[in-house]
Each structure stands twice: as structure tokens, then as C-alpha cells.
Amino acid sequence: MEPKIKIWRLHPRTFERFVPHQHRDGYFRVADPTLGKVKHHAEHQIPVVSEEDLVAYIRRGYLCRMRGEETGQVNLIAASEIMTDAPGAVSAEPKASRTSPTSGVKTTSSMAMSLPPDLKPPASGLLPSHGRVACTDCFPGGTAEWGVSVVEGSGWRLTNNPMAWGGQNPRVLVLGFSKGGTQNDGILNRPHAEVAFRGGRHAVASVLGTLGLMPSDRSIDELIADRDGDIAFGSLVRCSVSKLDRRSGRWVMSGSDIMGSCLREGAIGHVISNCTRRYLACLPPRLKMVVIYGNDVDYVDGCLRAIAGVRPGVRKLNAVSYTDGTVAFIHVVHFKAQGGIVPNWCHGEPGRASHAEHDQPLKRELALQAIRLALAP
């Protein structure tokens, strides 16, 4: 029989769907996270009668016994990884064989926000205005000349040229990783509105259109240039990042390696921290979602960790998205992905890839799922 309330979890790497496991006695099982290492023991499992009561426990931080639909494996799953389509909050106490604790439970994905005094975001919560941004947080002495000043170290280079496009008080923020070589070419003299996503705007528009975020009567050029629009554009790192290719001796500004290694390597970590603190910690109240180009598993995890450091209570929605309960962060295919990867993400049929982590159509469906949740009343 189809359950009245759908409750599920997607494995972060295999994307296998897990559902609540109903034991032979007809009950579901949850576990109190405060019991620590013994919470998985059978004698500590709490029997639950209905999906409604199960949702109530999950929303209070209890773990749930869930079964993989493909492997049949039964695992105890943390509440922070579980999704449900149940509307609203559950006000009634869940029914079970023993009383549940009344203290709040902090899930493992929650992280406290601590901002140095000199990096606190503006009280208004508005995004940077359309144009060049005056920011010198990562430069010695807090001084830099826009488009000229450079700092280097441990094989990394940072050029001071932070920029912002679109509205200051939008509903959607669209982020690349950093400005690549194409965007940096002629940046000092090129009109500001032409820089963002230069050389990849057709793919940017295709992805946003697939997500239902492209107005039918506006072009991507118009959206990027609209300083009062409902969409803002920028990058996770507002300045331009380069990495030294040891083999060629050249500085490179794009590619999946630079995106992933920037988040992995400590040498550039302060840049990520400064940018997330200044530009993502305090967002406009109207803003409901941040669309991030790049959906490689390691990149998603790296961004999640960085953003969780400045936005408390971040938890995963699925393999390509996460939320703090106010704003959803949704990863999509990179607009410069090679070959037919972008069209496959936009129009392909899920389930045809040999490995789930490479299944771009499946990642599209997960992104659409996250958008529906972000826009739900």
C-alpha cells in the first residue's frame, strides 16, 4: 500500500533510495541520538506506529531504521539526511512505548557561526551592488588596487577583481566558482555587464531554463545586466583564483581540478572562508535559493562544509543540495562542462550512466526536487 506520507533518504554517493523499514511486527523503529554508541542496540529502539509519528520523531532529531530499495540493506539513518513531503510542523507528541526526551537535539551537520569583527556582513543583508566590489579582506594590510593587486603563495595566485551582477535583493543567487581566463581577458576595459559567464552564457541560460528560473521574455544578457532584478550573479570566490601548473609552469584559472583542490588545500582556505563569511553568511530575506555551477561529489561536499561554517544548521537535502531551513543551496552541472554533458544534464534520461555519481540527468532531477522544496509555502 502506498504510504500517506513519503519519507526517504538518498545515499550521497550511490543515490540509492532508502525508505523506512517496517519490521515483522508492523512497526517502524527510531533511535534516540543522545544514547551515543548504544543507540543502535535493539533494546533501545523505539517502535513507531504511523508515518505521521515517524515524521514527528525525525523532526526532533531521532535516527530512523531505513531500507535500501536496491540492496535491501537496513541502516540507522541520521535525521539530517532524511527527506519527507509531510507539510508543516507536527504539533502532536509522537506515540511510542516510552517517553521521548524533551531536550532539543543538535544534528551532526549543524555548525555554529562565528564571525571575526572585521568580517561581519552588512546589517542590511543586501548583496553587493551591480558593479566592481571594493573588498580587500585577503590582501596584506587590507589594501589593494582593483584589477592590479596580486598575492601568491603555495602555488596559488589571487587577483583582486571582485564583481557582482544583477539585483541586490533578489530571490535567486547564481554562483560560478571564480572568474576564469575568458572572463579575465580584457577585464579592465570590458563593459561590466559583459564579463559574467562570458563564453558560456548559452549553457548558463539552458541550465536556468531547465530549472524553470529563466523568464520567457528575458535573455540571459538582460538578466545579468538588470541591477534591480530578481536574480543576482557572482562567484563563490569573488576575486580571480589561479593555480600554478607545475609541469608547464603556467598559471591556470579554470578546470575541475582547480575547483576541487581550492576547497581541499589549506593554502587557499582563508580565501574561501573570507568570501563565504562576507557574501553568504547574511543574505537578503527574499532570497530562497543559491544555484551553484559545479556538481561533482567532492565539490558539493567542499562547498557544503564551507557554507556550513557561516550558516548554522546546514543539512543535506539530497546529493546535490543542502539547506539551513531558510535558503537552499543547489548544485547544477558546470556551464563549461565538456562535450555533451550540459545537454545530457538538461534533457537526458536518468539511470543510463554506469556510475550514479556520473548520472547527470539524475542530478538534474535531484536539483529540481530541491527547488520544489525551496519554493514550497
Side-chain angles (χ1 to χ4, degrees):
M1 186 175 69
E2 184 73 15
K4 291 181 290 184
I5 297 175
K6 291 182 179 179
I7 304 166
W8 71 96
R9 176 250 192 180
L10 288 176
H11 192 284
R13 291 194 180 274
T14 66
F15 301 118
E16 180 180 9
R17 179 185 170 97
F18 282 70
V19 296
H21 178 60
Q22 197 164 19
H23 292 250
R24 290 182 179 180
D25 59 7
Y27 290 96
F28 304 107
R29 295 286 193 278
V30 296
D32 182 351
T34 64
L35 294 178
K37 293 182 179 180
V38 299
K39 60 181 177 290
H40 63 285
H41 292 181
E43 62 267 25
H44 297 307
Q45 303 288 290
I46 303 172
V48 179
V49 178
S50 67
E51 288 93 351
E52 290 89 349
D53 291 336
L54 195 57
V55 169
Y57 273 110
I58 292 168
R59 284 180 173 164
R60 295 180 65 177
Y62 282 72
L63 297 89
C64 178
R65 284 280 178 196
M66 305 188 81
R67 183 189 72 257
E69 292 184 324
E70 297 174 17
T71 62
Q73 183 175 349
V74 177
N75 292 334
L76 195 60
I77 305 299
S80 60
E81 298 182 24
I82 300 173
M83 299 286 296
T84 175
D85 64 357
V90 179
S91 57
E93 284 294 307
K95 306 176 184 67
S97 60
R98 52 180 170 273
T99 306
S100 58
T102 56
S103 61
V105 177
K106 186 180 290 184
T107 61
T108 56
S109 60
S110 298
M111 299 180 66
M113 177 171 67
S114 177
L115 299 182
D118 62 329
L119 283 181
K120 287 195 175 181
S124 67
L126 296 179
L127 296 178
S129 61
H130 180 91
R132 295 179 177 181
V133 178
C135 179
T136 59
D137 290 339
C138 301
F139 290 78
T143 59
E145 182 179 353
W146 197 98
V148 176
S149 296
V150 172
V151 289
E152 293 181 12
S154 302
W156 290 92
R157 173 187 285 174
L158 187 71
T159 302
N160 182 276
N161 55 13
M163 306 176 85
W165 297 267
Q168 278 190 280
N169 188 24
R171 295 186 183 275
V172 180
L173 172 60
V174 177
L175 297 178
F177 167 66
S178 177
K179 292 182 292 297
T182 304
Q183 290 82 48
N184 272 273
D185 183 28
I187 195 171
L188 289 173
N189 300 312
R190 191 175 301 281
H192 177 75
E194 294 181 9
V195 175
F197 302 101
R198 181 170 173 259
R201 289 191 178 185
H202 177 74
V204 169
S206 296
V207 171
L208 294 180
T210 300
L211 297 177
L213 300 178
M214 274 291 296
S216 59
D217 59 342
R218 308 282 308 274
S219 70
I220 188 64
D221 294 345
E222 291 172 324
L223 293 179
I224 290 173
D226 187 356
R227 62 178 61 245
D228 298 313
D230 274 338
I231 303 181
F233 299 84
S235 50
L236 182 68
V237 177
R238 293 280 175 160
C239 288
S240 294
V241 176
S242 309
K243 185 178 182 180
L244 180 63
D245 184 332
R246 303 289 183 183
R247 288 177 295 183
S248 66
R250 295 186 303 109
W251 291 94
V252 296
M253 307 185 76
S254 60
S256 58
D257 177 63
I258 192 172
M259 292 168 62
S261 58
C262 186
L263 290 163
R264 287 193 309 271
E265 298 180 15
I268 203 75
H270 70 288
V271 174
I272 303 289
S273 297
N274 287 349
C275 276
T276 52
R277 286 188 182 110
R278 183 169 288 279
Y279 302 112
L280 295 177
C282 186
L283 292 170
R286 292 179 76 238
L287 196 142
K288 297 300 181 185
M289 73 181 80
V290 178
V291 176
I292 304 175
Y293 283 95
N295 61 7
D296 175 80
V297 171
D298 290 337
Y299 185 63
V300 173
D301 288 344
C303 289
L304 187 155
R305 288 193 299 272
I307 291 168
V310 298
R311 296 190 68 85
V314 167
R315 62 180 179 85
K316 270 197 169 185
L317 289 173
N318 57 38
V320 299
S321 65
Y322 37 94
T323 183
D324 62 355
T326 302
V327 178
F329 297 82
I330 303 165
H331 286 258
V332 297
V333 66
H334 196 275
F335 63 96
K336 282 293 189 75
Q338 299 298 304
I341 294 177
V342 173
N344 187 38
W345 184 93
C346 292
H347 309 296
E349 182 179 339
R352 294 189 173 185
S354 57
H355 298 286
E357 61 266 30
H358 299 146
D359 192 333
Q360 291 294 346
L362 176 57
K363 291 183 179 183
R364 176 197 67 227
E365 293 304 305
L366 294 176
L368 289 169
Q369 176 192 83
I371 285 180
R372 287 192 292 269
L373 290 169
L375 297 180

